Amino acid sequence: MAPAVLPRHWRSASLVLAGLIALGFTLLGPSQFVEHSLEEASAALRRHPASSALRIVEIDAHSIASIDRWPWPRRNYVAVIERLQRAGAASVSFDVDFSARSNPVDDMALGAALARTRMPVILATFSQESGAGRSGWTDSLPVPELREHATIAAVSVRPDSDGVVRRAPVGTITDGLPRPSLSAAMAGLANGAADSDFPIDYAIDPDTIPRSSFIDVRDGRFDPAAFAGKHVLIGATAIEMGDRYAVPGHGVIPGVVIQALAAETLRGGLPREGGWPLPLLLALALGFGILRIGNGRVLAIAVMASPLLVFGLAVGVKAGFNWSFELAPAMVVLAVVSAATYAARSWVARQVRRSHDTATGLPNRLALCGPGGPRDGAGLVVARFSDYDKLVAALGDRTTADLVGRVQERISLVTEGATIYRVEDRALVWVASDEADLQARLATLRTIMLPPVEVAGRRVDVALNYGFAWRRPDESTDHLLGRGLLAADQALSRGVSWNAHDDLNDEAIDRELSLLGELDDAIGANEIEVVYQPKLALASGRIASAEALVRWNHRTRGRLGPDLFIPLAERNDRIAGLTLYVLERAIADLGRLRALGLEISVAVNISAKLVDAPDFCAAVRDLVERSGVPTNRLIFEVTESAAMVDVEAAAAALDAFREMGISISIDDYGTGQSTLSYLRQLPLDELKLDRKFVQFAHLNRDDAILVQSTVSLAHELGLKVVAEGVEDAGCLAFLRSIGCDMAQGYLISRPVAPDDLLALQLPPIPHAA
């Protein structure tokens, strides 16, 4: 079967749907979780150490314990500024609140230190909620005597709605003036609008930013060379100071470390943000390619590789060019396209499977008669396997399917590549467009089919019967196929290789359909009559058994023989009901005859379809249990062909009847392929020799030998033998002479009504001379 490639309109619809879902996903907000997860993954892949340009002087727990009061006297900051200036620091930035006055002497000392230092000093300004029931924010700037000799920069940290800090300001408006953020001032970023922000690059490992304790720097316990040329950031890291925030990938870290990471981010320039349109377009292009892939393995690779490609490109662009993109919409597009592709392919594949034979991969009846099937051509040719059941029994299902494929290849050679449909297990069909050329092609095909077909190391002879039906005006392909199949069936039943459907076939079909529709009503109205053909026990000369036969007293067509409606019932699954009706009548007649003193057995024919049917077996059990008639007076006659299709299944089914006390007889013995030794596997009581061997056995030496040997072997196996078709006294005498058990035929009696069996009870039929 061909790969499930999606139709073009499905591909277009899938892309449009994916784009709309992605836009809605982005505009309505649920994409943030995906975006944040991708940013964390990108940062983890780009993880690298901080530069050596920055150093943190941390107000840590050791420093808090050493200076046992808070806020600290500002003379401590004076000492640190002087130590760092002498060490050659490039700048000093304070993430410390100087908005409140302290000791005037200390404030004057710190102001003086800021005035005389030669290195840039940056002091923090921040905004905080007004409180006391007031709405809005209050700007907190350093006291005037400090900010005269320092750069003022904002240190406000504002987490996202989920409490995680992901971005930092480039600048803010405090006290009516635009001011850079602390990170922008440290990085020397001159451009950037106030009230704008940027993403902090959490690929920088915060643990690689060097730190020194505040108290150690104040007291000179440090290596001055470690600070030479460095930008120094002073801020609190002690837990008790409370200045801590959650960040992506690193948990909860101090605010001063966040400021340092933000400054490190800006050292490469202000990050550029490309938004989501470009990745979205790339994803749509990749999605278009995914939707066009037919090979399942390639599709799986593309589905897995496409999001990795988009993500990898984004990581590379971020690492190489400091340019970030929003990837969530693109990932949504790829996810939707992938899901839509697999869902649509699954649907298409299911349709393909529905329209193709699972065993051979050939298009099936749905492909021929469905909406996408052929509508042109003069008609249909049907090739029917003559012995399909025998092939399955000998080869098995898998090898038989391979055989059908080999036959299809031969047919394709003659039909010049016409599509071959397997509409049934045993029927191949193709469209024929030229009636004049058809006979020549079929003659060629018969020649090609003469050599055995090689399959699974075996050479198998295959016989085909052909049927043809011409297309009528406005006729559906399904109806045309039905006529073609019927023509092939008739070719098989007539023993001819070729048959064309004609109007007479339609009349026969109408007649059969009419009978089929009336059969159930006929059973309910007791129009089905049960008659009995006696069996003569040759040893005693008395009637010991009778075979139940059916006749239909049709209200308009008169008396119908069983050959007109029993095959019809078998083909249309009505045989079970008919058989149960006959069995019920036979049991009732048997009980009535026993009450009148006639002790005989009654045989009922069981169709091959019913031998191993569980529902039928259960219905029989219920019927005989309710009847009260001795079951040893019932015989089920099963045809030899029905028992030999699957001997093990037949044996198991017949055992179930034997357990009820019902005897089993093999009917028409000798017409099939079995032998007596083979029949030993079956639970049998009786053997019925077919009339074609019995009728002239007293005249034909070969028939006589066959009948005599069969009787002897059957007796050796403990089986009774019934010879049917006995029509003259010489045949009857021959059967007595060889020890045959019973005879049945017109010489004994034609089928009679049940009450007429009483007249045949006495006197015994005399021995022929």
Side-chain angles (χ1 to χ4, degrees):
M1 286 179 241
V5 179
L6 303 186
R8 179 180 299 176
H9 65 280
W10 282 22
R11 298 198 297 264
S12 302
S14 297
L15 275 182
V16 171
L17 175 65
L20 291 175
I21 291 176
L23 289 176
F25 199 75
T26 300
L27 297 176
L28 297 178
S31 66
Q32 290 303 309
F33 173 77
V34 176
E35 196 67 56
H36 295 159
S37 299
L38 292 170
E39 289 170 357
E40 278 195 52
S42 173
L45 289 174
R46 295 182 293 104
R47 186 65 50 83
H48 61 275
S51 71
S52 59
L54 187 145
R55 193 174 188 94
I56 293 176
V57 173
E58 54 182 338
I59 302 174
D60 55 3
H62 176 56
S63 302
I64 295 292
S66 299
I67 309 173
D68 193 18
R69 55 177 294 191
W70 186 263
W72 286 340
R74 288 178 177 163
R75 69 178 76 93
N76 292 285
Y77 302 115
V78 173
V80 168
I81 290 173
E82 291 175 347
R83 295 280 190 187
L84 293 175
Q85 179 173 304
R86 288 195 294 271
S91 68
V92 175
S93 300
F94 283 91
D95 186 9
V96 178
D97 182 11
F98 292 119
S99 62
R101 295 187 178 276
S102 66
N103 184 300
V105 175
D106 285 348
D107 288 345
M108 292 296 293
L110 180 55
L114 294 175
R116 63 176 176 267
T117 185
R118 297 184 300 276
M119 64 181 180
V121 177
I122 302 171
L123 299 182
T125 178
F126 58 93
S127 298
Q128 58 183 341
E129 292 188 35
S130 300
R134 298 184 180 89
S135 61
W137 295 76
T138 299
D139 296 325
S140 300
L141 285 83
V143 295
E145 53 264 50
L146 300 183
R147 62 177 183 259
E148 291 179 6
H149 306 290
T151 299
I152 306 302
V155 294
S156 297
V157 174
R158 295 186 181 176
D160 291 342
S161 59
D162 58 357
V164 178
V165 176
R166 296 183 178 89
R167 305 180 69 85
V170 177
T172 60
I173 303 293
T174 54
D175 197 27
L177 297 174
R179 304 184 191 278
S181 66
L182 185 62
S183 54
M186 291 177 64
L189 186 66
N191 58 341
D195 289 331
S196 63
D197 56 18
F198 64 93
I200 301 172
D201 187 4
Y202 286 107
I204 303 168
D205 187 353
D207 294 334
T208 62
I209 301 174
R211 303 186 191 187
S212 299
S213 176
F214 183 92
I215 196 65
D216 290 339
V217 174
R218 188 200 68 175
D219 296 343
R221 294 189 300 270
F222 67 96
D223 179 8
F227 286 86
K230 301 294 193 293
H231 297 278
V232 179
L233 176 60
I234 301 173
T237 62
I239 294 177
E240 53 265 41
M241 299 299 290
D243 187 25
R244 304 177 73 85
Y245 302 91
V247 299
H250 303 293
V252 177
I253 62 175
V256 67
V257 177
I258 296 176
Q259 298 291 349
L261 290 173
E264 284 281 315
T265 300
L266 294 176
R267 288 188 57 79
L270 187 65
R272 290 178 290 179
E273 298 182 86
W276 52 263
L278 193 59
L280 180 63
L281 291 175
L282 175 60
L284 289 171
L286 292 172
F288 178 77
I290 288 173
L291 290 165
R292 294 177 61 86
I293 295 174
N295 183 279
R297 181 175 298 178
V298 175
L299 175 64
I301 293 173
V303 166
M304 291 186 292
S306 294
L308 294 177
L309 175 63
V310 173
F311 180 68
L313 285 174
V315 171
V317 169
K318 176 64 177 177
F321 303 98
N322 199 21
W323 198 343
S324 61
F325 293 92
E326 294 179 31
L327 302 182
M331 296 302 178
V332 170
V333 164
L334 293 175
V336 172
V337 166
S338 299
T341 299
Y342 275 107
R345 280 171 61 91
S346 176
W347 189 89
V348 171
R350 187 168 66 87
Q351 296 301 106
V352 170
R353 287 193 298 272
R354 288 181 63 236
S355 61
H356 285 73
D357 177 56
T358 55
T360 62
L362 295 174
N364 60 15
R365 185 177 189 133
L366 179 63
L368 176 67
C369 301
R375 294 293 179 267
D376 55 354
L380 294 179
V381 183
V382 177
R384 171 78 78 181
F385 286 81
S386 303
D387 296 308
Y388 185 80
D389 290 333
K390 186 187 296 182
L391 292 173
V392 174
L395 302 177
D397 291 336
R398 179 64 264 171
T399 304
T400 303
D402 293 339
L403 178 70
V404 172
R406 300 290 184 273
V407 172
Q408 175 263 331
E409 292 169 359
R410 293 191 183 187
I411 294 175
S412 294
L413 292 175
V414 177
T415 59
E416 297 181 351
T419 300
I420 309 298
Y421 301 84
R422 191 185 190 195
V423 297
E424 294 177 358
D425 286 347
R426 63 193 71 220
L428 298 175
V429 175
W430 65 94
V431 176
S433 57
D434 187 352
E435 180 181 0
D437 187 46
L438 182 59
Q439 292 282 358
R441 289 186 183 274
L442 287 176
T444 304
L445 184 55
R446 286 196 293 271
T447 302
I448 286 180
M449 289 305 302
L450 288 176
V453 179
E454 293 190 11
V455 59
R458 303 177 63 173
R459 294 168 60 81
V460 181
D461 287 314
V462 177
L464 299 176
N465 296 88
Y466 303 95
F468 184 81
W470 301 113
R471 189 184 291 274
R472 296 168 177 171
D474 301 322
E475 182 179 31
S476 70
T477 304
D478 195 66
H479 188 264
L480 174 64
L481 173 61
R483 295 194 295 114
L485 287 168
L486 178 61
D489 287 340
Q490 291 171 338
L492 177 62
S493 63
R494 295 171 186 171
V496 298
S497 62
W498 160 256
N499 181 54
H501 187 277
D502 56 28
D503 292 340
L504 293 178
N505 296 128
D506 292 338
E507 295 176 6
I509 293 172
D510 290 341
R511 183 171 59 252
E512 287 191 359
L513 290 176
S514 177
L515 286 176
L516 182 64
E518 296 169 348
L519 181 58
D520 291 340
D521 293 337
I523 293 174
N526 290 322
E527 291 180 6
I528 304 297
E529 178 186 2
V530 179
V531 295
Y532 299 89
Q533 185 168 27
K535 300 178 186 178
L536 176 68
L538 297 180
S540 65
R542 294 182 179 277
I543 302 301
S545 183
E547 179 182 358
L549 303 172
V550 290
R551 303 290 185 266
W552 185 350
N553 295 316
H554 196 278
R555 65 188 67 180
T556 58
R557 304 186 189 197
R559 194 175 178 88
L560 302 178
D563 58 315
L564 288 178
F565 61 90
I566 288 182
L568 183 65
E570 287 185 319
R571 288 198 301 270
N572 294 276
D573 294 329
R574 305 292 181 86
I575 194 64
L578 179 59
T579 303
L580 289 171
Y581 169 81
V582 173
L583 179 59
E584 187 173 11
R585 288 287 302 272
I587 288 174
D589 291 338
L590 184 61
R592 189 159 52 84
L593 291 172
R594 290 183 72 240
L596 295 174
L598 180 59
E599 290 288 348
I600 65 170
S601 298
V602 172
V604 177
N605 289 283
I606 305 299
S607 168
K609 289 187 173 184
L610 302 179
V611 169
D612 57 353
D615 292 344
F616 176 75
C617 182
V620 169
R621 185 182 302 277
D622 179 66
L623 185 58
V624 298
E625 288 177 352
R626 285 189 288 107
S627 69
V629 172
T631 54
N632 62 356
R633 291 296 180 179
L634 287 175
I635 302 171
F636 279 178
E637 292 190 6
V638 181
T639 61
E640 178 188 351
S641 58
M644 304 316 296
V645 171
D646 186 340
V647 176
E648 291 185 4
L654 296 178
D655 268 330
F657 295 129
R658 284 283 298 274
E659 290 174 0
M660 300 179 201
I662 300 172
S663 299
I664 305 299
S665 175
I666 282 290
D667 197 9
D668 299 333
Y669 179 77
T671 59
Q673 302 294 323
S674 64
T675 64
L676 278 173
S677 60
Y678 197 32
L679 292 176
R680 292 181 64 185
Q681 301 176 51
L682 298 172
L684 303 179
D685 300 282
E686 182 180 279
L687 198 70
K688 290 190 73 174
L689 274 170
D690 187 76
R691 64 181 296 116
K692 72 178 182 179
F693 301 110
V694 173
Q695 194 170 18
F696 302 107
H698 62 298
L699 302 174
N700 185 301
R701 181 175 180 274
D702 291 339
D703 287 349
I705 293 173
L706 187 147
V707 172
Q708 185 172 5
S709 62
T710 300
V711 170
S712 298
L713 287 172
H715 286 167
E716 289 291 330
L717 296 174
L719 302 179
K720 292 181 180 180
V721 179
V722 179
E724 56 183 352
V726 179
E727 297 184 357
D728 60 56
C731 181
L732 184 65
F734 168 74
L735 293 172
R736 275 200 177 102
S737 69
I738 64 173
C740 184
D741 299 289
M742 283 190 281
Q744 179 181 356
Y746 284 177
L747 177 66
I748 314 301
S749 174
R750 290 178 177 273
V752 297
D755 291 343
D756 294 336
L757 290 173
L758 290 168
L760 297 173
Q761 184 181 15
L762 291 172
I765 294 178
H767 290 239

